[in-house]
């Protein structure tokens, strides 16, 4: 069970994943050892699934983004499709949807030409694809945010 202290630890780590155990312990009112044990237990239980750096795509030459709606021909290809999507580095987010379309993919590329090449060489070749519909991201208003804990 996740109690109020665990939720506060999670809230703080979402804001700053590099926060030291010492600073975290001070913020939540624990000593370092129990705070560290709680972090390890949250990791062990799969509540805390990882730590990552947030990189500005444009700063690394990936300033073009497209949202791609995918409809599959049938369910027989679903697992193979999901595995291939998971292997693609340019697909940075993917959601399976209820209804139609079946999936929403977020794709990054250097520019429109690079996206068109990825579309032609990778997206249309994904298992079971019947229909792809792309829309270009004009401006990102909000990145994936922290959970409201």
């Amino acid at each position: 069970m996740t109690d109020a202290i665990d939720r506060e630890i999670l809230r703080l780590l979402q804001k700053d994943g590099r926060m030291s155990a010492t600073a975290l312990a001070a913020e939540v009112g624990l000593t370092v050892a129990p705070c560290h044990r709680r972090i390890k237990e949250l990791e062990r239980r799969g509540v805390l699934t990882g730590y990552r750096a947030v990189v500005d795509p444009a700063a690394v030459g990936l300033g073009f983004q497209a949202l791609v709606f995918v409809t599959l021909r049938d369910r027989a290809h679903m697992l193979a499709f999901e595995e291939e999507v998971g292997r693609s580095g340019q697909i940075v987010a993917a959601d399976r949807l209820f209804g139609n379309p079946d999936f929403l993919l977020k794709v990054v590329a250097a520019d429109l030409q690079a996206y068109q090449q990825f579309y032609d060489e990778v997206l249309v070749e994904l298992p079971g694809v019947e229909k792809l519909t792309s829309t270009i991201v004009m401006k990102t208003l909000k990145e994936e945010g922290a959970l409201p804990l």
Side-chain angles (χ1 to χ4, degrees), residues 113-127:
Q113 182 179 356
Y115 173 70
Q116 183 257 313
Q117 182 177 357
F118 182 74
Y119 184 98
D120 291 344
E121 295 175 6
V122 177
L123 292 176
V124 298
E125 298 297 327
L126 289 170

Side-chain angles (χ1 to χ4, degrees), residues 64-140:
F64 184 91
Q65 295 179 26
L67 300 177
V68 182
F69 296 95
V70 182
T71 301
L72 298 183
R73 279 189 297 278
D74 54 52
R75 301 263 181 221
H77 296 93
M78 190 171 317
L79 290 178
F81 174 86
E82 290 177 356
E83 288 172 5
E84 287 297 316
V85 165
R87 283 194 274 275
S88 175
Q90 279 186 259
I91 300 171
V92 296
D95 295 301
R96 182 173 168 197
L97 308 174
F98 279 105
N100 211 358
D102 298 310
F103 293 91
L104 171 60
L105 310 178
K106 183 175 183 182
V107 176
V108 295
D111 52 28
L112 179 59
Q113 182 179 356
Y115 173 70
Q116 183 257 313
Q117 182 177 357
F118 182 74
Y119 184 98
D120 291 344
E121 295 175 6
V122 177
L123 292 176
V124 298
E125 298 297 327
L126 289 170
V129 169
E130 178 179 288
K131 180 181 176 184
L132 298 169
T133 305
S134 297
T135 187
I136 297 170
V137 175
M138 182 186 303
K139 177 180 177 183
T140 299

